[in-house]
Amino acid sequence: MIKTLMGAVAPLSRDRSPGQGTGPVVSMLKRLTTAQMQMLVMVAALLIIAVFFTLATDGSFISSRNVSNLIRQTAIVGILAIGMVFVIISAEIDLSVGSMMGLLGGIAAIMDVWYGVPLPLTILITLASGLLLGLFNGWWVAYQKVPSFIVTLAGMLAFRGALVGLTDGSTVAPTSGALSSIGQSYLPGGWGWSFGILVGAGLLLSVMKKRGSQRLHDLKPAPVAFDYGKAGVTVLALLGLLWVLEEYRGLPTPVLIMAALILVMTLVSRRTAFGRRIYAIGGNLEAARMSGVNVEMNKMLVFGLNGLIVAIAALILTSRLGAGSPSAGNMAELDAIAACVIGGTSLAGGIGSVFGAIMGALIMASLDNGMSMLDVPTFWQMIVKGGILLLAVWMDAKTRK
Amino acid sequence: MSEFLLELRNIVKEFSGVKALNGVTLTVKPGEVVSLCGENGSGKSTLMKVVSGVWPHGSYSGEIIFDGRHLEAKGIRDSEAVGIAIIHQELALVKEMTVLENIFLGNEITHWGRLNTEAMFKRTQELLKRVQLDINPDTPLKELGVGQQQLVEIAKALNKNARLLILDEPTSSLTEREIELLLEIVRQLRREGISCVYISHKLNEVLALSDRVTVIRDGELIGTCDADSLTQNDIIQMMVGRELDQLFPREAHPIGDVILEVNRAYACKPGASRPQVDDISFNLRKGEILGIAGLVGSGRTELMQCLFGCYEGESRVDITLHGRKLNITNSREALGAGIAMVPEDRKRHGIVPIMSVGRNMTLSKLDFYSRWVSGVNEQAEYVDVLDYIRRLTVKTASTELAIKNLSGGNQQKVILAKLLMTEPEVLILDEPTRGIDVGAKYEIYKLMYELVNQGMSIIMVSSELPEVLGISDRVLVMHEGRLKGEFDHRGLTQEMIMDCAIAEEIRSHD
Ligand SMILES: Nc1ncnc2c1ncn2[C@@H]1O[C@H](COP(=O)(O)OP(=O)(O)OP(=O)(O)O)[C@@H](O)[C@H]1O
Ligand SMILES: [Mg+2]
């Protein structure tokens, strides 16, 4: 019998696989996970867009003034996208954020303009209202098992209605100087730089700590060049951006708020049990439940968190407009959803990241901004943005296969 | 013209640099059944995905020759067109559709765009007759048992005029009788000239069915032999590279006092005429392995779901653990009380497919690693994950790989690790070795004894009688939602269990 065995053994080809022996860049790329690869693609897409518009506008696109404006314009959709990405990762949707942002902004404006409530209290009440509205949505979805599409569609109508009712359909203006400063002010130089340096140092420190403890546990860390290279590039990009902003008027306050949210929410999504559970729920709800995850509670919290973030966006919006308007935030939910999706979030749940959502928002805002500079008619802008959305999702579907 | 219907030459398939197949050669003659054996993760499913076009031409190297022609399939449709049909390890039928709709899904017979229901109905009846399934084509699929669904899959493949049928672990969730039926149907098809590649970890089936056996290990071909010249031990030796002297490593271990008492368990789906679990009481001792046998559908899984708080429907049960009454309404509370369960349906209840191996493994224990300010301690987590990967010999390229990319058996090990990590007092295993190879089975049995020696108690539901007999200290037999018998393992035989499990059924049928 052994003889038949031996006879049947096929000659083994011992040729080397094509990946081996090529340069360090290739081996570096091979280390990247699909998610990291996707980020890279998105950064590349953004760069291509930037280069294109820069050439087309003879450099005005990357003037410090325009970059500053562009990023400031991104802030609101960016912040909404940060909240939305959590909702979508948990395999739900929130169509009510536009109306909710309008309503919360209206509440803030009414307190500020009509009743002269001091700013801290206005902020507190607005945030609390956002949290409550979000939890309300979440309660219907998680505990009453009404599909989120319906719950938030209802919210979209009802919140807008409440806003029109509260404001009597008229604009509530002008907001106090204190409130206006949230959305309109720039922070003096020192602020921006210290924030940037703090974040940079934090990043490098965390890489060092990770490598240190990997060594401690006898695990093989990735090559030094890879880990520090990644962190270095990120820090450089950050400082470069800060430098450009400082060239103009400094770091816009909304951008600082967005940056802080990116940081905190990235940590929440990656490093906390809550974040992990959201991914698990979106990935396979039944399995998450059987693993002891409190599915209902976590879903409700996701909506609550989203409400809180919408409130932050609402404060910025009202302050930037200097008014509460009954049509404020109209259709903003669609921009937020589009940003998430362009940023690689899967509507089926379980996949997505805060950074991706922000990149998605930036890509959309860059297109808006660049095309406006080129005097592209509005209808073309809409068509192009629609096309980009379709293209992004199509590419994602292709690469995932 | 060669004598082979299918010839695979030197297939190499890599997943991001890791070779899952390394120069595998396999041949199938017309009207021949070739079994493919190998450990979990040895590349069996991957090889069959190459053949069936799931992995398109170009994503692997090597040649596929089918019926004398090079096959360069770009997708499943191309390979189906030449007559290759595959039935995957995980069934791929639509539960909400009828048998007929499933069989014709994607291949509907139409007349000017309108469905030709009559023709499809007739054809379905013929097909069902060929697989000896006596049901109405309009039966919703979800009303069928797993075994019947398996036969529907085969009917679906036959509908595509398959000349080569690939069955990837078709019997892992079938009862003995269903397995017999399935084997008989495969033999019938062979008589009709249809070839078959058969993948199974059940070596007795392999020997009973196949003409030749091909064994692979770690993606490399070990050899191909005539089934007549082989014994189970030969195959095991080829698969694992060493001899396995016994299949069940029974060990004497101390059994303590009763720790768990289950009283008057009852479970019923809303609207059902008969409860799935009907007034069952039993107890479990410290350090005991309690086997639960019975036919598929006898309510074993549902009973376990009651204990673990995840039964979907109306359920009642009194559970006392260490003299303390428990009120378990969901799985979280069960885990908190020290009861863990490895679910039967791995795909639906076990894995989060797109999450990594590591994250799946620690999902039930996140609170342990989690701190209020600093979040999840990933280093501590990683160390534990690696530890369990080693202990259960999980075969994975890295802890970061999405669990859906693991072979079926290795997914099972990750789920087992997930629950062991919660360090439960009572561990419920529902079909723990489904789809697991002989070597790994042995490892899992050994682990079970290690666990009971440390004072854990285990309830094991299993459809494999040798396993129930070989591992349990005590065996309960269920029948139609009721407890039919309780046996000590000493002196217990398969016949005694089977008699108990089906006795009443026979009586009620005449
Ligand atoms: N899409 C994929 N990406 C990465 N690795 C993969 C992928 N699919 C399979 N693998 C790896 O290829 C190897 C072979 O897997 P395969 O599913 O073919 O095993 P198998 O022999 O069918 O095992 P089992 O008996 O457990 O079903 C495994 O190590 C698995 O992790
Ligand atoms: Mg397999």
Side-chain angles (χ1 to χ4, degrees), chain B residues 13-16 18-21 36-49 55 89 168-169 199-201 216 219 346 395-397 401-411 435-437:
Chain B
K13 168 86 187 148
E14 284 188 13
F15 292 109
S16 42
V18 181
K19 283 200 172 114
L21 293 174
L36 186 56
C37 295
E39 289 177 296
N40 294 129
S42 55
K44 304 180 297 293
S45 297
T46 305
L47 186 64
M48 290 306 113
K49 283 180 184 168
W55 301 123
Q89 200 161 357
D168 195 350
E169 291 188 46
I199 299 179
S200 176
H201 289 295
I216 58 179
R346 176 170 61 224
K395 207 168 149 204
T396 174
L401 193 68
I403 195 171
K404 67 172 179 193
N405 294 334
L406 254 54
S407 75
N410 282 304
Q411 291 179 4
I436 287 192
D437 69 61

Side-chain angles (χ1 to χ4, degrees), chain B residues 97-104 117-118 120-129 133-141 144 152:
Chain B
M97 290 181 151
T98 66
V99 170
L100 181 148
E101 285 167 335
N102 266 295
I103 287 181
F104 281 95
T117 329
E118 211 167 295
M120 290 198 287
F121 197 86
K122 259 217 193 103
R123 177 101 175 111
T124 307
Q125 276 179 323
E126 284 166 31
L127 290 167
L128 290 179
K129 199 176 286 168
L133 203 52
D134 184 24
I135 50 170
N136 183 337
D138 286 334
T139 319
L141 193 84
L144 303 183
V152 172

Side-chain angles (χ1 to χ4, degrees), chain B residues 258 260-265 280-284 290 292 303-304 307 318 459 474 476 483 486:
Chain B
V258 170
L260 177 80
E261 279 176 72
V262 176
N263 278 309
R264 292 188 305 281
I280 289 190
S281 304
F282 67 92
N283 59 37
L284 179 69
L290 178 64
I292 299 194
L303 175 62
M304 296 305 119
L307 299 188
D318 291 333
I459 304 177
R474 190 158 57 100
L476 302 180
L483 205 54
E486 179 181 340

